[in-house]
Amino acid sequence: MTSLKKVVVKAQLLEGGRGKRGLVRITEDASEAIKQMREEGVEKFLVEEYVPHEYEFYLSCMVDRDSQEPMFAIGKGGINVEEEGDIRTRVVSMERGVRFFDALEVSKFMKANPEEVMMVMRGLYELVLNYGVELAEINPLAVKDGSLIALDSKVIIEDNSLIRIGETLKSLGIHVERPSAYVELDGDIGIIGNGAGLTMATMDMVKIAGGSPADFLDVGGGADRNHVKESMLKVLRNPKVKKVIANIYGGITRCDEVALGVVDALKEINKPVYIRLSGTNEEQGERILEENNVKVYHDVPKMIGDALRS
């Protein structure tokens, strides 16, 4: 597939933790790596040259909750950044912006060229300051002969900002998908809702009833068929998930679109799904699901009870 002796194959997913799941691989056989990842439901890949380097670091910029100012986080790079515990932070106020002495301190830690560090820090800072980015992260940021090489990056954009700058991103050739809020947990019952409050309440009810949630996934408002399908598949692909409970209240979200997305997902991965639909076009949504042998509930406690007893 490629003439390069050693390459890095990266699954293209809108989620973190790919390295821990084996979805970023250094290999001499890209075709085999892609074949194995496809068996896990991955559809898009990036194959690039492996770059030998001496050190790798984590560098990010986000808004500090306490000061409400941009803050840099710096540490050793890799797949277990949070677990390493040696993360240094530096708040840089909007009033003064990034200065050379900020970059000089970071460059000493990285043993890297301070001018290059300055350029990278200013780029991350601008994303947070001017584009509504919640997190701009480079990991790993490699150092080779004192120079920086960004080997991977991640940007999380706040939903309202994503709408505001969506056309700008599209003009740059960046595909914009409606975001889902997804957090993986330790249980075996997949949880899907629309709206953080409804999703959290559903998780609490499952826990109180004796179940163990495997995730938190909020599809957001106005989710269409394709977005619901991808959200459902994200949960179904989790090997720990034995069944899925979906609690949907249709306001701007149409229940028929939700139903079509659920049916599309179950055609690819079939696990038991228990779903409550209420709101806009709920009759159409209920009919679509029942025609495809998916039971629809109107009573949430009964839905959860049936799911836990099955």
Side-chain angles (χ1 to χ4, degrees):
M1 185 173 184
T2 176
S3 60
L4 298 172
K5 183 175 182 182
K6 186 178 287 187
V7 297
V8 182
V9 180
K10 301 177 181 180
Q12 299 299 284
L13 300 172
L14 289 176
E15 59 189 74
R18 292 174 300 164
K20 290 183 179 180
R21 295 174 54 193
L23 299 180
V24 177
R25 303 185 190 181
I26 300 172
T27 179
E28 295 181 359
D29 190 342
S31 298
E32 180 61 24
I34 290 174
K35 177 182 176 182
Q36 293 174 4
M37 290 187 197
R38 281 204 168 116
E39 293 173 356
E40 300 180 43
V42 181
E43 298 177 356
K44 297 180 181 179
F45 308 87
L46 173 66
V47 180
E48 57 186 6
E49 180 182 4
Y50 172 72
V51 179
H53 51 276
E54 298 150 15
Y55 313 102
E56 57 183 40
F57 296 92
Y58 169 92
L59 178 63
S60 70
C61 188
M62 67 198 82
V63 175
D64 176 44
R65 292 184 179 180
D66 294 329
S67 66
Q68 293 299 302
E69 298 278 8
M71 178 181 73
F72 287 97
I74 309 101
K76 296 292 176 118
I79 62 175
N80 293 308
V81 173
E82 299 87 353
E83 298 172 14
E84 291 295 329
D86 185 21
I87 300 292
R88 307 180 183 191
T89 60
R90 185 178 187 87
V91 174
V92 177
S93 72
M94 291 181 279
E95 185 177 357
R96 72 169 176 84
V98 181
R99 300 291 180 88
F100 188 73
F101 59 81
D102 297 309
L104 190 60
E105 183 175 325
V106 174
S107 69
K108 289 179 180 177
F109 175 69
M110 291 184 173
K111 301 177 183 176
N113 184 299
E115 284 80 12
E116 292 186 14
V117 173
M118 178 74 168
M119 181 178 64
V120 172
M121 290 180 69
R122 278 185 168 171
L124 296 175
Y125 193 86
E126 183 178 348
L127 286 173
V128 172
L129 199 62
N130 298 329
Y131 293 94
V133 168
E134 293 182 341
L135 172 69
E137 167 191 302
I138 302 176
N139 180 32
L141 179 58
V143 179
K144 182 178 181 181
D145 299 327
S147 293
L148 298 178
I149 309 171
L151 296 182
D152 205 351
S153 63
K154 178 172 72 177
V155 174
I156 299 176
I157 303 175
E158 191 269 332
D159 289 3
N160 292 327
S161 297
L162 186 61
I163 294 171
R164 177 170 56 85
I165 67 172
E167 292 304 316
T168 300
L169 294 174
K170 288 179 182 178
S171 70
L172 297 173
I174 301 173
H175 177 61
V176 179
E177 294 186 25
R178 183 183 297 274
S180 290
Y182 176 72
V183 178
E184 196 167 305
L185 304 170
D186 295 327
D188 60 2
I189 300 175
I191 306 292
I192 295 177
N194 63 320
L198 182 62
T199 309
M200 287 293 292
T202 307
M203 291 175 62
D204 289 344
M205 293 177 72
V206 169
K207 193 72 175 178
I208 290 170
S212 182
D215 67 85
F216 167 98
L217 194 151
D218 169 17
V219 299
D224 61 13
R225 177 177 185 170
N226 289 333
H227 182 60
V228 172
K229 174 187 174 183
E230 291 305 315
S231 298
M232 181 66 70
L233 285 173
K234 186 189 294 285
V235 175
L236 292 171
R237 286 174 183 142
N238 184 342
K240 295 184 295 185
V241 169
K242 297 179 181 177
K243 62 196 75 173
V244 177
I245 291 175
N247 193 0
I248 302 296
Y249 182 79
I252 60 173
T253 302
R254 289 172 42 187
C255 293
D256 55 333
E257 285 284 301
V258 172
L260 290 168
V262 170
V263 170
D264 289 345
L266 291 176
K267 288 177 181 177
E268 297 188 24
I269 303 178
N270 191 11
K271 293 182 181 180
V273 172
Y274 301 81
I275 183 167
R276 176 254 195 174
L277 280 181
S278 179
T280 306
N281 293 352
E282 67 176 89
E283 294 84 3
Q284 296 95 313
E286 185 170 351
R287 184 170 62 251
I288 291 167
L289 290 171
E290 290 181 344
E291 288 174 353
N292 287 274
N293 301 313
V294 179
K295 186 175 180 180
V296 182
Y297 292 82
H298 299 284
D299 184 285
V300 177
K302 177 172 173 51
M303 172 180 67
I304 293 173
D306 286 356
L308 296 185
R309 284 191 294 270
S310 67

